[in-house]
């Protein structure tokens, strides 16, 4: 029987950047995001007969690389046990993968949901904790909407879950993705954050200051305070990049066009449009603004040298098993 699930990507305003436990994917700090309606992954999963000895994986119509397949199998083993039946997985993204657009978040969330259903995991088992084992940010794509992934205090990660703090309808903002460069990025967020934890002299500062960012961002979302959320988002983003930039060797994600887009956002703000920027572990920028200002922001970003395309997203909901 085929199980199909869909999940949306998310963009974090308080970033997750560093694990305290790599095996259980437990973060050093809590994070907060919103799900993006235009960026989604649909995944179909079939359990194979017991004689099959490996998982099969197709992404966007082509057979996955050995590396992608191994990471997926390792995730399924960690979440559902080594003696599970192997699976045939077909995953389709609505956007370019591995270009820093958080495809691992929607990808692992959709996969976790479909697999939990196929393997008969009771509904009482939190799906965000399963998705987390595939990719940390995927935990937040399970509840969707305005989501917070809690750091948790337990060593076994039992309390490191993601919850929806407000539904997508709570706040009519737009998230405008400015794609600055197509193609795959050079270093994964997984490797870059591990290197940041180990070698950036600023990591302690990150760990100490993130809880306050999280509290401030949560309050700003609940109060629909764009300026408060935007200022924290830019701060958390630039701190995260400061960690990556000061790792040894460094992981530099900004391209000239990323900085040009950041300047464009500052320019709009100086002219009175409340709009804020954030950048994940890739060269693309995401602008946060009110729905009423989205057209102006999109026009400005499209006219920025090096920006190849813009995608305007609204908040999206939870990951779902599809009929
Ligand atoms: C910059 O979730 O991709 O997007 O857990 O190692 O798979 P792994 O990392 P991943 O990292 C996301 C980093 C980020 C910030 C964020 O989404 O919070």
């Amino acid at each position: 029987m085929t199980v199909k699930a869909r999940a949306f990507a998310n963009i974090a305003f308080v970033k997750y950047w560093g694990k305290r436990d790599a095996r259980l994917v437990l973060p050093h700090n809590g994070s907060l995001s919103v799900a993006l309606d235009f960026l989604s992954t649909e995944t179909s999963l079939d359990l194979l007969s017991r004689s099959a000895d490996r998982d099969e994986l197709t992404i966007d119509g082509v057979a996955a690389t050995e590396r992608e397949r191994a990471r997926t199998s390792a995730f399924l083993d960690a979440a559902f046990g080594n003696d599970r039946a192997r699976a045939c997985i077909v995953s389709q993204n609505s956007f370019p993968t591995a270009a820093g657009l958080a495809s691992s978040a929607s990808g692992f969330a959709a996969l976790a949901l479909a697999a939990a259903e196929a393997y008969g995991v009771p509904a009482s088992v939190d799906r965000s904790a399963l998705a987390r084992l595939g990719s940390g940010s995927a935990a937040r794509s399970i509840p969707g909407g305005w989501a917070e992934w809690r750091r948790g205090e337990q060593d076994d990660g039992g309390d490191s879950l993601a919850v929806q703090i407000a539904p997508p309808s709570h706040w009519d903002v737009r998230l405008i993705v400015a794609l600055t460069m197509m193609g795959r990025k050079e270093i994964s967020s997984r490797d870059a954050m591990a290197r940041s934890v180990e070698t950036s002299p600023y990591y302690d500062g990150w760990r100490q200051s993130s809880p306050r960012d999280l509290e401030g961002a949560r309050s700003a979302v609940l109060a629909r305070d764009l300026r408060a959320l935007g200022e924290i988002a830019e701060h958390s983003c630039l701190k995260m990049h400061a960690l990556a930039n000061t790792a040894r060797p460094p992981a530099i994600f900004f391209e000239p066009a990323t900085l040009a887009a950041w300047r464009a956002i500052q320019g709009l703000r100086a002219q009175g449009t409340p709009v804020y920027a954030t950048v994940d572990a890739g060269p693309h920028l995401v602008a946060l603004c009110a729905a009423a200002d989205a057209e102006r922001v999109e026009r400005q970003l499209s006219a920025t040298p090096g920006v190849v395309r813009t995608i305007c997203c609204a908040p999206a909901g939870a990951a779902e098993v599809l009929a």
Side-chain angles (χ1 to χ4, degrees):
M1 197 192 72
T2 306
V3 184
K4 201 170 184 184
R6 182 193 56 203
F8 297 97
N10 67 74
I11 181 73
F13 301 117
V14 175
K15 305 289 189 198
Y16 144 58
W17 197 249
K19 299 171 182 65
R20 66 180 201 274
D21 184 317
R23 191 179 57 88
L24 295 173
V25 192
L26 300 180
H28 272 297
N29 63 284
S31 53
L32 186 145
S33 64
V34 71
L36 306 173
D37 67 348
F38 233 82
L39 306 181
S40 60
T41 305
E42 259 186 47
T43 296
S44 302
L45 186 146
D46 275 291
L47 293 187
L48 298 169
S49 76
R50 280 282 168 182
S51 59
D53 61 354
R54 42 192 273 143
D55 298 305
E56 294 166 19
L57 174 64
T58 304
I59 301 177
D60 295 337
V62 291
T65 62
E66 188 49 36
R67 197 188 152 103
E68 288 166 332
R69 204 191 55 79
R71 180 165 173 187
T72 298
S73 295
F75 158 64
L76 292 171
D77 287 348
F80 306 102
N82 286 325
D83 61 347
R84 67 188 169 84
R86 304 292 112 178
C88 173
I89 303 150
V90 177
S91 183
Q92 186 68 40
N93 290 296
S94 67
F95 55 93
T97 54
L101 272 187
S103 57
S104 70
S106 52
F108 279 105
L111 174 60
L113 209 54
E117 187 81 3
Y119 289 117
V121 176
S124 58
V125 176
D126 189 279
R127 269 43 181 172
S128 77
L130 294 174
R132 191 194 78 215
L133 297 171
S135 190
S137 54
R140 297 185 310 247
S141 283
I142 293 289
W146 298 88
E148 179 179 334
W149 171 23
R150 300 191 175 133
R151 177 189 187 277
E153 296 308 322
Q154 296 170 8
D155 286 343
D156 67 357
D159 57 350
S160 187
L161 311 171
V163 295
Q164 192 180 98
I165 61 165
S169 60
H170 168 71
W171 195 2
D172 200 18
V173 298
R174 291 293 178 272
L175 296 308
I176 298 159
V177 183
L179 290 172
T180 58
M181 204 176 71
M182 294 296 185
R184 301 171 82 86
K185 58 182 176 175
E186 279 164 36
I187 176 166
S188 70
S189 31
R190 174 153 297 190
D191 294 343
M193 75 172 76
R195 205 188 281 171
S196 301
V197 176
E198 283 158 24
T199 63
S200 172
Y202 301 148
Y203 201 78
D204 270 348
W206 168 266
R207 224 179 354 217
Q208 280 161 26
S209 61
S210 292
R212 210 177 58 195
D213 296 341
L214 185 61
E215 270 176 40
R218 190 192 306 125
S219 304
V221 167
L222 297 178
R224 301 188 189 88
D225 185 337
L226 188 65
R227 180 173 170 182
L229 180 62
E231 285 182 3
I232 292 168
E234 291 195 347
H235 178 63
S236 178
C237 166
L238 292 173
K239 266 194 298 195
M240 178 211 116
H241 286 277
L243 298 177
N245 290 342
T246 53
R248 301 184 86 164
I252 301 172
F253 294 107
F254 272 55
E255 292 292 333
T258 319
L259 190 56
W262 194 287
R263 290 292 191 206
I265 296 300
Q266 286 182 317
L268 279 166
R269 209 154 63 216
Q271 290 161 22
T273 304
V275 54
Y276 299 86
T278 187
V279 176
D280 274 346
H284 315 301
L285 178 141
V286 182
L288 163 71
C289 64
D293 292 324
E295 234 183 87
R296 180 177 320 137
V297 173
E298 205 170 359
R299 220 178 307 122
Q300 192 69 36
L301 285 173
S302 302
T304 302
V307 171
V308 292
R309 198 187 143 188
T310 57
I311 304 171
C312 183
C313 301
E320 276 180 332
V321 174
L322 305 171

